[in-house]
Amino acid sequence: AENTALWCGAAVTMAWLGGARGRTAAAAGLTAVAVAQLVSNGLCKQVTDRSRPPKEWIPHDEVEDRPDSSSFPSGHTAAAVAFTAAVAPSWPRAGALCAVPATLVAVERVQSGAHYPSDVAAGTAIGLAGAWLSRRAPRLLLRLWT
């Protein structure tokens, strides 16, 4: 899920194999990822300065590979949840398939010592909000302008 490569790959596959429904789902998913990344990494991480979990809590060697940025919120989780939640209304089966790696991303962020569980919970909330906003914003803007 590094640099949203997993979700970009999923979007390409959906667009290629899913016809019009796949293209709609892929576009919704990528838009939601962009919104979630903007909020989590572009805003929240810049205004919070939460350190990563203590190294002593992590019983494996991956602890040295953690990022230096703020721990709060989990941008990986925000992107994973945003993509999955935005895809599901257009293509429920693809959304269900995406839920598996999205869940694994969230669990891995805590297991690897990169985040506290609350960071992942906040990333989940941001992802859900990003999916909601990316799917509703066009209609909301049209209402404002008409």
Side-chain angles (χ1 to χ4, degrees), residues 1-2 4 14 19 29 34-35 39 50 55 58 60 74 82 88 94 101 105 110 113 118 122 126 131:
E2 198 65 33
T4 66
M14 286 180 205
V35 170
V39 172
R50 184 175 193 182
K55 291 181 180 183
I58 316 306
H60 48 75
S74 170
V105 165
V110 174
S118 58
I126 290 168

Short mmCIF file of all heavy atoms in Angstrom, two decimals, residues 1-2 4 14 19 29 34-35 39 50 55 58 60 74 82 88 94 101 105 110 113 118 122 126 131:
data_model
loop_
_atom_site.label_atom_id
_atom_site.label_comp_id
_atom_site.label_asym_id
_atom_site.label_seq_id
_atom_site.Cartn_x
_atom_site.Cartn_y
_atom_site.Cartn_z
N ALA A 1 0.82 -1.20 0.00
CA ALA A 1 0.00 0.00 0.00
C ALA A 1 0.86 1.26 0.00
O ALA A 1 0.33 2.35 0.09
CB ALA A 1 -0.91 0.00 1.21
N GLU A 2 2.17 1.08 -0.11
CA GLU A 2 3.08 2.23 -0.08
C GLU A 2 2.81 3.15 -1.26
O GLU A 2 2.68 2.70 -2.40
CB GLU A 2 4.54 1.73 -0.12
CG GLU A 2 5.53 2.75 0.33
CD GLU A 2 5.38 3.13 1.80
OE1 GLU A 2 4.99 2.29 2.62
OE2 GLU A 2 5.65 4.29 2.12
N THR A 4 0.22 4.56 -2.22
CA THR A 4 -1.08 4.21 -2.81
C THR A 4 -0.97 3.34 -4.06
O THR A 4 -1.92 3.24 -4.84
CB THR A 4 -1.94 5.46 -3.11
OG1 THR A 4 -1.31 6.23 -4.13
CG2 THR A 4 -2.15 6.31 -1.87
N MET A 14 -9.79 -2.50 -12.25
CA MET A 14 -11.25 -2.30 -12.31
C MET A 14 -11.65 -1.63 -13.61
O MET A 14 -12.64 -2.03 -14.25
CB MET A 14 -11.71 -1.44 -11.13
CG MET A 14 -11.74 -2.14 -9.84
SD MET A 14 -12.30 -0.96 -8.58
CE MET A 14 -11.57 -1.70 -7.16
N GLY A 19 -15.65 -2.63 -17.29
CA GLY A 19 -16.50 -1.83 -18.16
C GLY A 19 -16.82 -0.48 -17.54
O GLY A 19 -16.02 0.08 -16.78
N GLY A 29 -12.92 5.68 -6.40
CA GLY A 29 -11.91 5.25 -5.46
C GLY A 29 -10.69 6.15 -5.45
O GLY A 29 -10.19 6.54 -4.39
N ALA A 34 -7.42 10.59 -3.02
CA ALA A 34 -6.82 11.92 -3.09
C ALA A 34 -7.33 12.81 -1.95
O ALA A 34 -6.55 13.52 -1.30
CB ALA A 34 -7.10 12.56 -4.44
N VAL A 35 -8.63 12.78 -1.70
CA VAL A 35 -9.21 13.58 -0.62
C VAL A 35 -8.66 13.13 0.73
O VAL A 35 -8.23 13.95 1.55
CB VAL A 35 -10.76 13.50 -0.63
CG1 VAL A 35 -11.36 14.13 0.61
CG2 VAL A 35 -11.31 14.16 -1.89
N VAL A 39 -6.27 15.32 3.37
CA VAL A 39 -6.65 15.60 4.75
C VAL A 39 -5.67 14.98 5.74
O VAL A 39 -5.19 15.65 6.66
CB VAL A 39 -8.09 15.12 5.03
CG1 VAL A 39 -8.43 15.23 6.52
CG2 VAL A 39 -9.09 15.91 4.20
N ARG A 50 2.66 13.96 16.82
CA ARG A 50 2.60 12.79 17.69
C ARG A 50 3.73 11.84 17.31
O ARG A 50 3.86 11.44 16.16
CB ARG A 50 1.26 12.08 17.54
CG ARG A 50 1.11 10.93 18.49
CD ARG A 50 -0.27 10.33 18.38
NE ARG A 50 -0.50 9.44 19.50
CZ ARG A 50 -1.61 8.75 19.64
NH1 ARG A 50 -2.59 8.86 18.78
NH2 ARG A 50 -1.74 7.95 20.67
N LYS A 55 9.91 2.27 20.68
CA LYS A 55 10.58 1.12 20.07
C LYS A 55 10.51 -0.11 20.96
O LYS A 55 10.46 -1.24 20.47
CB LYS A 55 12.04 1.46 19.78
CG LYS A 55 12.21 2.46 18.67
CD LYS A 55 13.67 2.73 18.42
CE LYS A 55 13.80 3.75 17.29
NZ LYS A 55 15.21 3.99 16.94
N ILE A 58 7.81 -2.73 20.27
CA ILE A 58 7.81 -3.45 19.00
C ILE A 58 8.85 -4.57 19.07
O ILE A 58 10.04 -4.30 19.09
CB ILE A 58 8.14 -2.51 17.82
CG1 ILE A 58 7.39 -1.18 17.94
CG2 ILE A 58 7.87 -3.20 16.50
CD1 ILE A 58 5.90 -1.27 18.09
N HIS A 60 10.24 -6.64 16.99
CA HIS A 60 10.84 -7.12 15.75
C HIS A 60 11.70 -6.04 15.12
O HIS A 60 11.72 -4.90 15.56
CB HIS A 60 9.76 -7.62 14.78
CG HIS A 60 8.62 -6.66 14.60
ND1 HIS A 60 8.72 -5.51 13.87
CD2 HIS A 60 7.36 -6.67 15.09
CE1 HIS A 60 7.57 -4.87 13.90
NE2 HIS A 60 6.73 -5.55 14.64
N SER A 74 -3.13 7.71 10.58
CA SER A 74 -2.54 6.77 9.63
C SER A 74 -3.01 7.11 8.22
O SER A 74 -4.17 6.88 7.87
CB SER A 74 -2.93 5.34 9.98
OG SER A 74 -2.54 4.46 8.93
N ALA A 82 -10.70 4.84 2.29
CA ALA A 82 -11.33 5.74 1.32
C ALA A 82 -11.59 5.03 0.00
O ALA A 82 -12.69 5.11 -0.56
CB ALA A 82 -10.45 6.98 1.10
N ALA A 88 -17.26 0.61 -3.22
CA ALA A 88 -18.35 -0.29 -2.87
C ALA A 88 -19.74 0.11 -3.41
O ALA A 88 -20.46 -0.76 -3.89
CB ALA A 88 -18.40 -0.48 -1.36
N ALA A 94 -16.44 -5.68 -5.91
CA ALA A 94 -15.07 -5.14 -5.88
C ALA A 94 -14.79 -4.48 -4.54
O ALA A 94 -13.69 -4.60 -4.00
CB ALA A 94 -14.87 -4.15 -7.02
N PRO A 101 -7.66 -6.37 1.72
CA PRO A 101 -6.37 -5.70 1.89
C PRO A 101 -6.46 -4.41 2.71
O PRO A 101 -5.50 -4.06 3.41
CB PRO A 101 -5.88 -5.43 0.46
CG PRO A 101 -7.07 -5.55 -0.40
CD PRO A 101 -8.02 -6.47 0.31
N VAL A 105 -4.06 -3.67 5.81
CA VAL A 105 -3.24 -2.45 5.92
C VAL A 105 -3.41 -1.85 7.31
O VAL A 105 -2.44 -1.51 7.98
CB VAL A 105 -3.62 -1.43 4.83
CG1 VAL A 105 -3.06 -0.04 5.15
CG2 VAL A 105 -3.13 -1.89 3.47
N VAL A 110 -0.49 -1.01 12.91
CA VAL A 110 -0.32 -1.14 14.36
C VAL A 110 0.73 -2.21 14.66
O VAL A 110 1.64 -2.00 15.46
CB VAL A 110 -1.66 -1.48 15.05
CG1 VAL A 110 -1.45 -1.75 16.54
CG2 VAL A 110 -2.65 -0.35 14.85
N GLY A 113 4.34 -1.26 14.37
CA GLY A 113 4.80 -0.22 15.29
C GLY A 113 4.80 1.16 14.69
O GLY A 113 5.30 2.10 15.29
N SER A 118 -5.30 4.27 17.90
CA SER A 118 -6.10 5.49 17.70
C SER A 118 -5.72 6.21 16.40
O SER A 118 -6.56 6.86 15.78
CB SER A 118 -5.95 6.43 18.88
OG SER A 118 -4.60 6.77 19.09
N ALA A 122 -8.45 7.01 13.54
CA ALA A 122 -8.60 8.33 12.92
C ALA A 122 -8.44 8.23 11.41
O ALA A 122 -9.18 8.87 10.65
CB ALA A 122 -7.58 9.30 13.50
N ILE A 126 -11.18 9.35 8.60
CA ILE A 126 -10.82 10.25 7.49
C ILE A 126 -11.12 9.57 6.16
O ILE A 126 -11.64 10.21 5.23
CB ILE A 126 -9.35 10.69 7.60
CG1 ILE A 126 -9.18 11.63 8.79
CG2 ILE A 126 -8.87 11.35 6.30
CD1 ILE A 126 -7.74 11.89 9.16
N ALA A 131 -14.38 9.28 1.30
CA ALA A 131 -15.25 8.56 0.36
C ALA A 131 -16.61 9.24 0.26
O ALA A 131 -17.14 9.44 -0.84
CB ALA A 131 -15.41 7.11 0.80
#
